[in-house]
Amino acid sequence: MKLKFAIYIGLLCIALSPMQTFAAGAPLLNIAQRNTAEGDPRITSIGVFSTETGTAAHFDLVQYDDARKGEAWAVEFGAGYLLPTQVPLYFGGGVVIGYRRQGGDYYSAWYPEAGAVLQLLPGLAVSVSKKRYQKLFGATEDVLMFGVALTMK
């Protein structure tokens, strides 16, 4: 609980501080991974994150690796509202459609999402997102993803 609170306070401080921002509409190549505790599935994604005036969207190829349920691959699409801050903060939702190799099952899920992208250098940014997957393999899963984003210009 204390870690979650510290992360939210850190994001708020970053959002209110004067920082570089990337150009609106510039797509970013985003590579992210969930740091897992023992027993939690590892989630790795690679995709495109883009912003326009007031909106954010992403499209990702995702690998889920769970010791109990096996490996699964999916595509995710998310969109949401982009807050007008120095650091792009976004709130929205998304859908997942995928295939689990063990058992050969197709699956789908949806999630609400909140995140931020902070540009460190021209062409290099870091991303953080919090998702709450609903009905992912029949359960609810809270996921905090950290990533690196590269400007695709």
Side-chain angles (χ1 to χ4, degrees), residues 6-61:
I7 289 171
Y8 291 137
I9 294 298
L11 286 175
L12 180 62
C13 292
I14 289 169
L16 297 176
S17 67
M19 304 291 283
Q20 294 180 354
T21 59
F22 56 87
L28 300 172
L29 175 65
N30 190 36
I31 303 166
Q33 188 168 44
R34 174 190 189 183
N35 293 333
T36 64
E38 191 169 322
D40 287 340
R42 186 184 76 221
I43 301 172
T44 306
S45 71
I46 183 168
V48 176
F49 178 85
S50 182
T51 61
E52 287 293 330
T53 305
T55 60
H58 64 88
F59 182 80
D60 303 292
L61 176 62

Side-chain angles (χ1 to χ4, degrees), residues 138-149:
T140 298
E141 185 81 31
D142 286 318
V143 175
L144 183 61
M145 302 278 288
F146 293 97
V148 174

